[in-house]
Amino acid sequence: MILLAGSALASARPVLIFGDSLSAGFGLAREQSWPALLEPRLRERGYTLVNASISGETTAGGRTRLAAALAQHQPALVVLELGANDGLRGLSPEQTRDNLRAMARAVKASGAGLLLVGMRLPPNYGPDYTAAFERTFTEVAKAEKAPLLPFLLEPVAADPANFQKDGLHPVAAVQTRILDHIWKSLKPLLK
């Protein structure tokens, strides 16, 4: 978990990154992950960063731990990046949608802003499932009136060389591209 100290930042409210291995920096040194690269940009704008992402996390797991994270960190903004593991495990898109909606509502009830980050699945999951999975994020964003970044890995997904040997987790060399992609949606939410 990334926390900044110092009197100038002690009163700054954090941006909470609440995600899975794609935000936890799986297979990377901590300083190579897109959230770590985001930290200086936030600091320039008077925010701190808390990365509460956990590799392997599902929306159900995130839903169970979100209230404690909101209470502990009292974020100004939450970047909710969960759902990929639900899809990879073939879990019900309805279950994923319900969990994401519950988390979106909890974030809003806490007074924090929200950026919902979507995911897409490889085509081998079948057209019906992949379409239903992708729609989940759009439906939650619309229902909860939350900004949506439709696909976190958009700028890197087409090239297998951008991924570690597992084919799922981006390499260090493309983390800045992912950050620049998410920054376009995140920057307007920073007041």
Side-chain angles (χ1 to χ4, degrees), residues 12-189:
R13 290 183 66 199
V15 171
L16 175 65
I17 311 296
F18 201 77
D20 53 32
S21 57
L22 297 171
S23 295
F26 179 86
L28 306 173
R30 188 207 74 77
E31 66 275 4
Q32 295 175 317
S33 69
W34 73 262
L37 298 171
L38 171 64
E39 190 173 18
R41 293 185 191 190
L42 293 177
R43 194 176 323 130
E44 288 173 1
R45 287 159 179 81
Y47 291 87
T48 59
L49 173 74
V50 175
N51 188 354
S53 301
I54 297 177
S55 292
E57 185 73 284
T58 62
T59 58
R63 184 176 180 176
T64 62
R65 67 185 182 91
L66 180 60
L70 292 172
Q72 179 182 359
H73 301 295
Q74 299 178 7
L77 178 67
V78 176
V79 178
L80 182 58
E81 182 274 308
L82 286 172
N85 290 310
D86 294 40
L88 293 174
R89 295 175 188 182
L91 301 178
S92 155
E94 293 79 16
Q95 178 185 6
T96 300
R97 183 188 62 235
D98 292 347
N99 288 331
L100 288 171
R101 281 196 78 180
M103 287 186 282
R105 289 175 180 166
V107 169
K108 288 167 44 179
S110 77
L114 173 66
L115 174 60
L116 181 62
V117 178
M119 186 51 57
R120 293 184 187 146
L121 293 174
N124 59 308
Y125 282 80
D128 292 341
Y129 184 77
T130 56
F133 176 79
E134 190 174 332
R135 248 189 339 268
T136 296
F137 298 97
T138 306
E139 290 170 355
V140 171
K142 184 177 180 181
E144 299 305 321
K145 297 177 177 56
L148 172 67
L149 176 69
F151 183 31
L152 176 67
L153 303 179
E154 183 75 41
V156 301
D159 186 353
N162 291 332
F163 292 86
Q164 298 174 38
K165 289 180 183 180
D166 63 10
L168 299 172
H169 298 96
V171 296
V174 301
Q175 294 293 310
T176 301
R177 288 172 57 195
I178 295 169
L179 171 60
D180 289 343
H181 178 59
I182 200 167
W183 184 246
K184 291 173 192 170
S185 296
L186 181 60
K187 184 179 177 182
L189 303 176

